[in-house]
Structure formats: structure tokens, C-alpha cells
Amino acid sequence: MRRGSWKIRIFIGLAIVAFAFVQRCNNKEENPYTGRVQNINMSTEQEVAIGLQSAPEVAQQYGGLYPDERLQSFVDQLGNKLVNNSIARETPYKYDFHLLADEQTINAFALPGGPVFVTYALFSQLNEAQLAGVLGHEIGHVIGRHSAERIADSNFWQTISMGASVGADAGGIVNSIGQNTLLTNGRDDELESDELGVLFMIQSGYDPYEMIKVMEILKAAGGPNRVPEFQSTHPDPDNRIERIKEAIDRFKGQQ
Ligand SMILES: [Zn+2]
């Protein structure tokens, strides 16, 4: 490299970093359903499109849909009941609730824009109120726009680390700070979804304390040498139980 060109590199690096920050400021918006200010760079229509497009492929990874129409419609009806009795009804999302055939993997998740899935392995351990808690939690991820927010986060950190590697060969360090931030934010998503799940349970007439039993079931399913996916991406159940109790007290006080 020519001498003096390091000045240009630093300048370009700073410009990239500045660009990332300006873009992030422009992407700030308040979520009308949770009241939280978020950084998001896609529209609700894009979220819906991503969810619809990826749903079949994601379902295939869990052995497809569980082949019992009666159970499928039970899950679907319960999910829709939660939507209709809550603020979820007013959102532009296309909710859709599916039971997955996988009898080994304890998991539940939501795709952006509305598709919600629960595996048979988890479903078979839950009563109706507990299933309402799990589905309510997943509806919370959709309303909270958590996937879209994480995509915006990771775009931001990618740009910052590009700037850092161009300007100062520090891309690796910035990248690991970014990874850490993404993980922490992921845990906050879970806590927000737990709270929304508890609220939706109350609004549909379910006992919100059943959500605590869900956490205990997840904890027990952890076992000594096997961490279920639902748990590995989720914060510690004991931690969540405390927060759930606080949320129940708060929501009950509002009634
Ligand atoms: Zn979750």
C-alpha cells in the first residue's frame, strides 16, 4: 500500500460508520402496539411476505405439519382466540397457527408477519392454558417485530464492522461486540414476548400463572445433557419466572 493512503482508509472507514449511524437514526420508529421505539428497515408488508415465503420450508425442517386435522384446528382456533381478544387483532399481520410433526424437538417459534409454529413434542406436554401461553408468547414476537428488529441490528453491525475493518483493521473486534449485542437484545425479545403472552392469556380468560408452569416444563425438558432449542435461544427460565410474576401483578392491578 502506498504511504499516506492510510488517511484515505480512515476517512472511508469513518464515512461508512457515519452512514450506518445516520441510517439507523432514520430507521427509528415507534411500535404502535408495544409503544417501544425500534430500529427497523422493512415494512410490515415485507415482514408478511418473508413469513409466508419461508413458512413451508421451515415446517419441513420439523417433519412438516402434524397429520391430525383435529389437533391442527385446535391449535389454530386457540391462536385465533388469543388474537381476537387482544391488540393483535388490530395489527396488519396474517396470523396462522400450525402444529409441527416433530415429536423429539421441544420448540415453538414465530416467523415475521404472523406464521406461528409449535412442535408436537412441546404441544403434547401442555394443557390448553399453557398452550395459550406459548402461542401468546409467539404472537408477542410478531407484534414486537423482533425478527425485523434483529435483521436491522445485524445490518447495522455489519456496516459498522466493515467501516472498522477498512479504517482501522478492527472489524473482528467490532463484529464480536455486535454478536454480543444481538444476543442480549435477543433475550430482551423473550422477556417482552413473555409479558405480552401473559397479557393475552388474561385477556382470553386463561390463568396467567400457567405461563410459569410452561417455564418449568421447559426447564425440566432441558435435562442433564440435552438443551431444547426453545431454551437455548431463550433466557434462563428462573429469570423469566421472576419477570412473569411481576408482569402478572402489574396486569392484574390494571384490571
Ligand atoms: Zn421466544
Side-chain angles (χ1 to χ4, degrees):
M1 200 192 311
R2 264 189 1 209
R3 220 181 321 187
S5 68
W6 61 271
K7 281 184 187 163
I8 297 168
R9 282 189 51 182
I10 287 180
F11 179 77
I12 295 170
L14 286 175
I16 293 172
V17 170
F19 167 78
F21 275 99
V22 168
Q23 198 184 35
R24 194 159 175 85
C25 280
N26 289 338
N27 289 337
K28 269 199 197 314
E29 53 181 287
E30 186 182 311
N31 186 315
Y33 312 108
T34 62
R36 196 162 58 81
V37 175
Q38 303 176 282
N39 292 290
I40 284 182
N41 53 11
M42 66 171 81
S43 65
T44 51
E45 290 79 15
Q46 282 172 306
E47 286 179 88
V48 171
I50 291 172
L52 281 177
Q53 202 176 10
S54 42
E57 217 170 294
V58 171
Q60 274 318 309
Q61 288 171 19
Y62 292 86
L65 298 180
Y66 191 80
D68 182 328
E69 282 302 321
R70 206 173 43 88
L71 291 183
Q72 285 295 344
S73 72
F74 173 71
V75 171
D76 204 41
Q77 278 167 24
L78 179 48
N80 283 312
K81 178 174 165 183
L82 294 163
V83 169
N84 288 326
N85 290 326
S86 71
I87 196 155
R89 190 187 47 208
E90 292 161 30
T91 64
Y93 299 117
K94 309 259 179 284
Y95 301 96
D96 218 345
F97 301 88
H98 306 283
L99 181 60
L100 295 167
D102 195 322
E103 296 184 16
Q104 313 296 326
T105 319
I106 296 210
N107 206 2
F109 53 89
L111 298 178
V116 170
F117 299 88
V118 55
T119 61
Y120 186 79
L122 177 57
F123 172 86
S124 60
Q125 297 202 33
L126 306 172
N127 66 27
E128 183 176 335
Q130 292 158 357
L131 180 62
V134 168
L135 297 180
H137 171 102
E138 298 307 331
I139 295 168
H141 279 309
V142 176
I143 292 180
R145 306 185 74 187
H146 294 153
S147 300
E149 204 177 358
R150 288 318 134 233
I151 290 168
D153 270 357
S154 87
N155 289 346
F156 172 75
W157 283 105
Q158 270 166 21
T159 313
I160 293 284
S161 93
M162 195 206 296
S165 58
V166 170
D169 284 327
I173 295 165
V174 171
N175 220 345
S176 68
I177 296 170
Q179 289 300 331
N180 235 322
T181 310
L182 283 174
L183 266 176
T184 312
N185 291 348
R187 287 193 199 108
D188 290 344
D189 291 350
E190 297 315 322
L191 298 174
E192 184 173 72
S193 288
D194 283 345
E195 286 194 10
L196 289 168
V198 162
L199 178 62
F200 300 157
M201 289 173 90
I202 295 171
Q203 289 172 333
S204 277
Y206 292 106
D207 177 6
Y209 288 97
E210 291 288 334
M211 188 67 119
I212 293 169
K213 303 228 177 79
V214 171
M215 295 303 135
E216 281 159 2
I217 289 165
L218 291 175
K219 202 171 148 186
N225 45 23
R226 173 168 156 266
V227 179
E229 285 181 62
F230 190 80
Q231 215 173 310
S232 61
T233 53
H234 286 64
D236 176 41
D238 288 329
N239 222 328
R240 293 172 77 183
I241 288 172
E242 279 317 301
R243 297 288 289 263
I244 289 167
K245 282 179 183 162
E246 285 166 25
I248 293 172
D249 289 344
R250 197 164 64 244
F251 293 135
K252 290 239 160 175
Q254 284 168 5
Q255 283 188 320

